[in-house]
Amino acid sequence: MLDDLLGLLTEDINRMLFALLVGSIIGIEREYRSKSAGLRTMILVCLGSCLFTILSIKIGGEPTPERIAANIVTGIGFLGAGVIFKDDNKVTGITTATTIWMVAALGMAVGAGHFQTAAVSTVIVMVVLVILVYLQKQIETLNQLRNYRIVYNYKKAGFEKYERLFQKFGLKAVRGAQSKSHDKITGYWIVQGAKSNHNRLISALLDDEDIRELDF
């Protein structure tokens, strides 16, 4: 009887330690990149999901293990939403939020005893987070989407002047709101194109004496 109990405890401890390892591997990468959810967060998410899964299997009855697993996913969804921010027309934190969600799934897999599945999935997550970053940077070099805000001296054909400039540098632009205040016009554009073309455009805009303010 005692041997059976010790065996169960050892199995649970092994699962918790494996969850600690999985959370640490992904957490180190997030911490290295100074993300809002770093090493400790990833470890706790993985350990918590693992422990909830172990308890749901051991307790049984109502609620069923499936319902507890579903509640874990719901709870992690609220946690992930807390790291998503919108700033200057840009949404940040989505990758960190989905990483938290994935780490919770890994913890559940470990808690259920699927060590091989968790190990392979951890490797895949690390490939996505580490290696694909360089591919993403290459794609961004070829095609970027930027928001431009230009405040310039009032002229009847002012916005057309800058749209011709976008075309000159091989960029596609979608005009946003235009507003006039006294002798100044504020224009917004969403501009798409290669990074090098954006840099050439910015150099030209910085040399434009009619421009009073420029955000890009």
Side-chain angles (χ1 to χ4, degrees), residues 58-114:
K58 289 183 176 296
I59 293 172
E62 292 292 338
T64 63
E66 293 80 8
R67 288 179 60 188
I68 291 180
N71 289 331
I72 294 173
V73 175
T74 302
I76 292 299
F78 283 106
L79 183 61
V83 299
I84 299 176
F85 302 96
K86 183 177 181 182
D87 184 31
D88 294 333
N89 296 321
K90 295 181 180 179
V91 178
T92 59
I94 293 180
T95 300
T96 300
T98 53
T99 303
I100 292 174
W101 177 69
M102 188 63 197
V103 168
L106 293 173
M108 293 170 64
V110 174
H114 301 296

Side-chain angles (χ1 to χ4, degrees), residues 31 48 79 145 161 164 184 189 197:
E31 193 74 37
L79 183 61
L145 193 67
K161 166 188 173 182
R164 286 195 298 269
K184 296 179 181 178
W189 287 270
N197 292 345

